[in-house]
Amino acid sequence: MDDVVEMSREEFEAAVAEGLDQVPRELTRLMDNVVVLVEDDAPADDPELLGLYEGVPLTERGEAWAAGSLPDRITVYRHPTLAICDSVDDVAEEVAVTVVHEIAHHFGIDDDRLHELGWD
């Protein structure tokens, strides 16, 4: 593997913001009680993880799901992403794919369906 792409946390956060900007407004308007975060390192039990959705997908929220619930979390991991990319452009593309992937989980779309749709 080539050298890790150098990108400051601020530059990476900007890439995540740009990835979010690429999501159609029709979808982002439907996102409910979700926050997007950047962390440097993935969890120790999955160090190559690029992103993670934690929460209750919209398709599973029933009457018991209350408006005071903690926000769902989408986390994009900087170091694993930089490690697999060859350029800043690669990082931007990978971050955009990761953001879409995790937002899909918020909408109740699982990994199998994402792969069927070509989001590998």
Side-chain angles (χ1 to χ4, degrees):
M1 183 176 289
D2 296 339
D3 292 332
V4 172
V5 174
E6 292 293 326
M7 183 179 255
S8 71
R9 183 169 178 115
E10 292 77 21
E11 291 168 328
F12 190 83
E13 288 174 351
V16 171
E18 289 172 18
L20 282 167
D21 287 345
Q22 293 179 30
V23 176
R25 291 284 168 233
E26 297 80 26
L27 289 180
T28 56
R29 277 190 226 117
L30 296 173
M31 291 172 63
D32 183 33
N33 201 30
V34 62
V35 62
V36 179
L37 306 167
V38 170
E39 295 288 340
D40 286 335
D41 298 309
D45 63 340
D46 197 356
E48 296 178 0
L49 189 66
L50 303 182
L52 180 65
Y53 169 74
E54 299 170 286
V56 178
L58 295 178
T59 55
E60 296 177 18
R61 293 181 185 179
E63 293 177 24
W65 192 88
S69 296
L70 291 174
D72 290 4
R73 295 168 46 119
I74 292 173
T75 307
V76 181
Y77 299 106
R78 185 168 71 102
H79 290 151
T81 303
L82 296 178
I84 67 163
C85 293
D86 294 323
S87 68
V88 171
D89 288 340
D90 284 349
V91 172
E93 185 176 322
E94 190 60 53
V95 164
V97 168
T98 300
V99 167
V100 167
H101 188 101
E102 302 312 326
I103 288 172
H105 290 321
H106 176 68
F107 284 104
I109 301 170
D110 65 17
D111 284 331
D112 290 338
R113 182 66 180 137
L114 283 168
H115 293 303
E116 288 173 13
L117 296 170
W119 289 96
D120 297 329

